[in-house]
Amino acid sequence: MKYRHAFHAGNFADVHKHVALLALLRALTRKDTGFLLLDTHAGRGLYDLGDADARKGNEAAGGIARLEAAQSGATPPVAAELADYLASVQQIRSERRERRSYPGSPLLGLHALRAQDRAVFIETQPSEHAALRAAVGKRATVECADGFLRLENWLPPRERRALVLIDPPYETTAADFRAVERALIETLRRLANAVIMIWYPIKHGRDTDQWLNRLALRWPKAAGGAATPCLVNELWIHPRDNRAGLNGSGLLIANPPYLIAEQMRAWLPQLHRVLDPTHAGGWLVRESLAVP
Ligand SMILES: C[S@@+](CC[C@H](N)C(=O)[O-])C[C@H]1O[C@@H](n2cnc3c(N)ncnc32)[C@H](O)[C@@H]1O
């Protein structure tokens, strides 16, 4: 595998995904009962934005750095979810005395968990796994394995509540899209109320829409026969049908907690305005899978 998340850490897609992750965790911690955070493609946990890999594409400049600059500018975005995310990144940096670092999903996740919650992080590359283990210490279970295969081992959890983050690299794009589909259906079969967040790349809008429409045909039913609730949200910084590369970032959320969609309709356009200053792209929030 060639994929190294260090090249992309803190880019626009990471910011979109991590703001949403934190918002979901805040919603889940509104109830006292504990839950399992299962991150199937966890990465190394903490990224040094000053190292050679991160500096190569300088992708954080178009992501976290842009949001930080806006926050201290004349007209900062006002959404509470964006402020919460920035404050969390700052706290993690200062706790670790790593000013130039960027926390990935495991560290942001642990930051939001309480004593009654549990975390399991899975990462397949030995070097990334070793770094992750060092970054999280004893606060979570960390496995060096295939996250798609290990889902079955951890679900359903004893808490009967879970947030499952599925964030593969899409290096072999079609295979990862198929694996994501299978993982999603299997997760809901094992725990019908699981909150699942899947990140997907928008390389060409038409391909993304075809995938969503195909998935809509297989989308599982919840108890009572109605379709499992879902929330599709996307942020793109280039025209959605550019042939350039990564045009945008998408999140498919199954069983979105109460008010998440409304909150997203407030913070996502604010985030988009900051991350796409030339207005080449756009954003959407939709509570149905099929493309209208
Ligand atoms: C996009 S990165 C994850 C970023 C992380 N979720 C975050 O938000 O900070 C994808 C990670 O999945 C790992 N990976 C690839 N295939 C995997 C698999 N089958 N199971 C578990 N991890 C895998 C890669 O090594 C890489 O570190």
Side-chain angles (χ1 to χ4, degrees):
M1 180 182 305
K2 289 207 205 87
Y3 187 86
R4 292 284 178 280
H5 195 66
F7 289 106
H8 312 293
N11 71 359
F12 78 96
D14 256 8
V15 174
H16 173 214
K17 171 180 62 187
H18 292 152
V19 174
L21 174 66
L22 210 51
L24 289 177
L25 287 164
R26 299 297 189 206
L28 282 166
T29 52
R30 281 199 295 259
K31 267 195 198 157
D32 285 342
T33 46
F35 63 92
L36 171 71
L37 169 63
L38 176 58
D39 189 343
T40 60
H41 295 71
R44 62 189 295 122
L46 194 66
Y47 300 88
D48 178 357
L49 296 181
D51 79 6
D53 286 351
R55 286 210 314 265
K56 204 164 187 177
N58 199 18
E59 293 190 25
I64 177 81
R66 203 162 254 169
L67 184 57
E68 284 171 328
Q71 193 72 0
S72 49
T75 52
V78 293
E81 289 75 10
L82 301 179
D84 184 24
Y85 160 77
L86 284 171
S88 302
V89 170
Q90 273 314 331
Q91 274 169 31
I92 294 167
R93 282 175 175 160
S94 60
E95 274 163 26
R96 293 177 177 261
R97 300 185 210 289
E98 301 262 16
R99 243 178 353 103
R100 297 185 315 187
S101 66
Y102 183 76
S105 51
L107 288 195
L108 277 163
L110 283 178
H111 179 76
L113 294 192
R114 307 154 302 175
Q116 62 267 46
D117 305 317
R118 235 171 7 118
V120 173
F121 302 132
I122 308 172
E123 167 56 50
T124 197
Q125 294 197 68
S127 58
E128 301 296 279
H129 165 263
L132 176 62
R133 193 175 270 278
V136 305
K138 292 195 165 44
R139 290 169 70 202
T141 302
V142 182
E143 292 190 330
C144 190
D146 181 329
F148 288 127
L149 297 180
R150 293 297 290 164
L151 268 176
E152 297 182 12
N153 187 64
W154 293 105
L155 298 174
R158 57 178 180 262
E159 297 88 347
R160 309 299 304 180
R161 298 179 72 210
L163 170 54
V164 181
L165 170 62
I166 305 179
D167 182 22
Y170 296 90
E171 207 171 33
T172 48
T173 312
D176 268 349
F177 271 110
R178 280 195 300 275
V180 156
E181 248 175 88
R182 282 195 301 271
L184 178 113
I185 289 165
E186 184 58 18
T187 299
L188 289 173
R189 198 180 68 76
R190 285 170 178 269
L191 184 70
N193 69 351
V195 178
I196 308 171
M197 183 164 91
I198 290 170
W199 182 83
Y200 58 87
I202 303 170
K203 294 179 180 167
H204 194 285
R206 201 183 46 212
D207 297 342
T208 305
D209 291 350
Q210 272 175 4
W211 176 64
L212 290 170
N213 282 335
R214 200 178 68 224
L215 189 54
L217 300 175
R218 303 184 61 202
W219 189 249
K221 300 250 185 292
T228 298
C230 79
L231 181 64
V232 172
N233 62 98
E234 296 182 351
L235 183 159
W236 58 100
I237 58 169
H238 302 293
R240 215 166 161 274
D241 54 0
N242 241 9
R243 281 280 172 202
L246 185 66
N247 296 321
S249 158
L251 294 171
L252 165 56
I253 301 172
N255 289 315
Y258 178 60
L259 292 181
I260 280 288
E262 288 81 343
Q263 292 165 357
M264 201 171 261
R265 288 193 174 93
W267 66 257
L268 191 57
Q270 293 182 28
L271 182 62
H272 173 253
R273 240 189 339 266
V274 171
L275 298 184
D276 180 19
T278 63
H279 308 294
W283 63 276
L284 70 80
V285 176
R286 188 173 73 230
E287 280 153 281
S288 72
L289 206 54
V291 181

